Amino acid sequence: MSEPMRVVVADDEPLARRRVLRLLREHDDQVDVVAVCESGAQAVEAIRETRPDLVFLDVQMPEMDGFEVLEHLGGELPAVIFVTAHDRYALRAFEVHALDYLLKPFDVERFNQALERGRTQLESRAADGPNRLVSLLEELARDRNGHAAATPGRRYLDWVMVKVRGKVEFLRTADIDWVEAEGNYVRLHTGTKGYLIREKIGMLEERLDPDRFLRVHRSAIVQLDRVAELHPMAAGDGILILRDGSEVKLSRGYRKRLLDRVPEYA
């Protein structure tokens, strides 16, 4: 880029603000910090006034959080990198087309990676128009799956972000065999691996493509094409055997849903 990137930093925590500003100073030949905000309301005002290229936006701020800031702005938004100490906001961040997501405490390398991504996006915008990470991920998913999302007009999850040993990985929902509730968490089973994320199973169910995923128990969701066998049990309950040999409980209350999708001819 010939011109420095115009950046707004919004975080209600002084230490967090100072850390981002300190890291940005290492790139002062490429970055121009046009506003520093201590609240969501200040962020809305500053973004409208300065029209920055990139915003480092704290998710959790009093009175107006980072998501509400974007809702107030509406229209064409700057590139946004969310900064937060809680990874449970990661999915929502990408749903609102955040460019990236920094999970505190992040190191210099991770910060520079996010900043570089912002610079690349701005260059891409200049050449090709808006370049949203979610759109890119969905295109990748379509290319790999060979088809588009199943239900026009409704966006279901194509990717889930999972925290693994201090880093965040992208997990394709197409790779999830089944989902198991564990209190306020769910475990995503993919082959021999399991990923625990903070999400209630009912909330996740609403965001998974119903053409592919089916709730079969109050504590279990399966991807239908993974189901190989049904072993009926007393009182209408059953055990589903998945193609990898995993056993998942089917409760009587959910049995009809399964049979509506997979008619019984036996």
Side-chain angles (χ1 to χ4, degrees):
M1 288 182 65
S2 56
E3 297 292 329
M5 208 164 23
R6 296 167 55 79
V7 175
V8 166
V9 177
D11 198 316
D12 68 310
E13 299 177 29
L15 286 176
R17 277 199 313 275
R18 286 199 290 269
R19 174 164 170 72
V20 171
L21 292 171
R22 187 169 61 251
L23 292 172
L24 285 173
R25 279 198 292 274
E26 300 296 320
H27 304 269
D28 58 2
D29 59 330
Q30 304 167 9
V31 170
D32 181 12
V33 178
V34 295
V36 179
C37 310
E38 301 177 10
S39 69
Q42 286 183 12
V44 171
E45 183 177 350
I47 293 168
R48 283 175 173 163
E49 182 177 339
T50 64
R51 302 181 66 80
D53 300 309
L54 176 64
V55 179
F56 286 88
L57 184 59
D58 185 21
V59 172
Q60 288 183 294
M61 291 185 286
E63 298 179 358
M64 184 186 298
D65 65 24
F67 299 112
E68 291 170 325
V69 167
L70 300 187
E71 290 173 5
H72 275 73
L73 289 169
E76 186 65 22
L77 298 171
V80 174
I81 296 174
F82 277 110
V83 184
T84 181
H86 303 281
D87 60 356
R88 67 176 180 274
Y89 295 115
L91 288 177
R92 192 175 172 197
F94 279 88
E95 284 179 347
V96 297
H97 295 183
L99 171 67
D100 205 340
Y101 184 89
L102 287 174
L103 187 64
K104 301 175 184 175
F106 49 85
D107 58 23
V108 175
E109 181 180 359
R110 182 67 186 88
F111 179 87
N112 289 340
Q113 182 185 56
L115 187 63
E116 179 59 29
R117 187 168 286 165
R119 185 168 22 249
T120 301
Q121 170 155 312
L122 289 176
E123 292 171 352
S124 176
R125 278 184 173 183
D128 305 320
N131 177 20
R132 304 294 195 185
L133 178 59
V134 168
S135 298
L136 175 60
L137 293 175
E138 289 177 349
E139 287 172 12
L140 288 170
R142 282 194 291 271
D143 289 344
R144 290 174 179 174
N145 296 330
H147 58 78
T151 307
R154 174 73 186 272
R155 173 177 292 172
Y156 296 105
L157 294 178
D158 287 317
W159 301 83
V160 177
M161 296 178 65
V162 294
K163 190 175 180 182
V164 181
R165 294 186 291 275
K167 62 181 180 180
V168 177
E169 294 184 359
F170 290 87
L171 176 66
R172 297 170 61 212
T173 52
D175 293 334
I176 297 173
D177 298 323
W178 67 289
V179 179
E180 180 179 21
E182 296 187 16
N184 290 326
Y185 292 78
V186 293
R187 187 172 298 278
L188 309 176
H189 294 273
T190 63
T192 58
K193 296 181 179 179
Y195 302 91
L196 192 65
I197 63 172
R198 186 178 176 84
E199 180 78 283
K200 291 185 176 178
I201 192 168
M203 298 292 291
L204 182 61
E205 179 188 13
E206 293 178 1
R207 302 163 75 186
L208 291 172
D209 185 350
D211 284 349
R212 293 160 51 192
F213 291 91
L214 184 70
R215 185 87 170 261
V216 295
H217 191 276
R218 59 183 174 81
S219 64
I221 297 170
V222 297
Q223 181 156 191
L224 278 172
D225 67 3
R226 304 298 203 275
V227 178
E229 300 174 11
L230 165 60
H231 292 204
M233 299 172 66
D237 294 335
I239 297 292
L240 296 173
I241 308 298
L242 306 191
R243 298 191 183 284
D244 68 353
S246 300
E247 297 184 359
V248 181
K249 292 180 181 177
L250 169 69
S251 67
R252 179 179 55 185
Y254 291 93
R255 184 187 179 102
K256 185 176 184 305
R257 292 188 186 187
L258 177 66
L259 297 183
D260 285 345
R261 300 285 299 279
V262 187
E264 186 176 23
Y265 294 107

